[in-house]
Amino acid sequence: QVQFVESGGGWVQPGGSLRLSCAASEDISRFSVVAWYRQAPGKQRELVATIARGGSLGYSDSVKGRFTISRDNTKNTAYLQMNSLKPEDTAVYYCNRRPAVATNWGQGTQVTVSS
């Protein structure tokens, strides 16, 4: 079973930036789609961004134009560059395949946006 380890979260003021990393224990080029998800307190986990093997990108409306997903297959790592962060972006961020595989969820990385 592939394991994903997320990192790069932290506290940032509104308007700031963070870059999240997702290291996979296996060759991520095997996965047709890798995705970032997030879960805010008291809310369901939601899809944030996707990147397909061929390079196609997808974003939720709430982050489009602010977040950029990428992947480096040589490092088995996916990234999420987050700019112009807003308080409503506060959540635990996870990566997984798309569709997500329940046994592949990692611990996530906390992102807190506040002044």
Side-chain angles (χ1 to χ4, degrees):
Q1 287 281 9
V2 62
Q3 297 297 315
F4 294 107
V5 179
E6 302 88 352
S7 62
W11 173 82
V12 63
Q13 292 185 332
S17 298
L18 284 173
R19 188 192 193 207
L20 305 184
S21 298
C22 167
S25 61
E26 299 178 10
D27 180 3
I28 64 169
S29 65
R30 297 194 302 109
F31 309 134
S32 58
V33 180
V34 176
W36 281 95
Y37 303 79
R38 68 185 181 187
Q39 186 167 20
K43 295 188 177 181
Q44 290 189 332
R45 187 149 33 196
E46 64 172 349
L47 179 67
V48 173
T50 60
I51 182 166
R53 184 186 292 128
S56 297
L57 308 178
Y59 299 96
S60 66
D61 288 343
S62 61
V63 307
K64 197 172 298 182
R66 300 187 297 121
F67 290 11
T68 303
I69 187 172
S70 60
R71 63 197 283 177
D72 185 341
N73 291 338
T74 66
K75 297 181 179 179
N76 293 331
T77 301
Y79 303 96
L80 187 67
Q81 177 67 44
M82 306 187 297
N83 299 328
S84 302
L85 283 160
K86 305 175 181 180
E88 51 263 44
D89 294 318
T90 295
V92 179
Y93 285 71
Y94 304 86
C95 62
N96 204 320
R97 303 172 177 178
R98 172 74 174 161
V101 176
T103 54
N104 290 166
W105 292 114
Q107 295 300 307
T109 186
Q110 175 71 47
V111 172
T112 302
V113 185
S114 72
S115 54

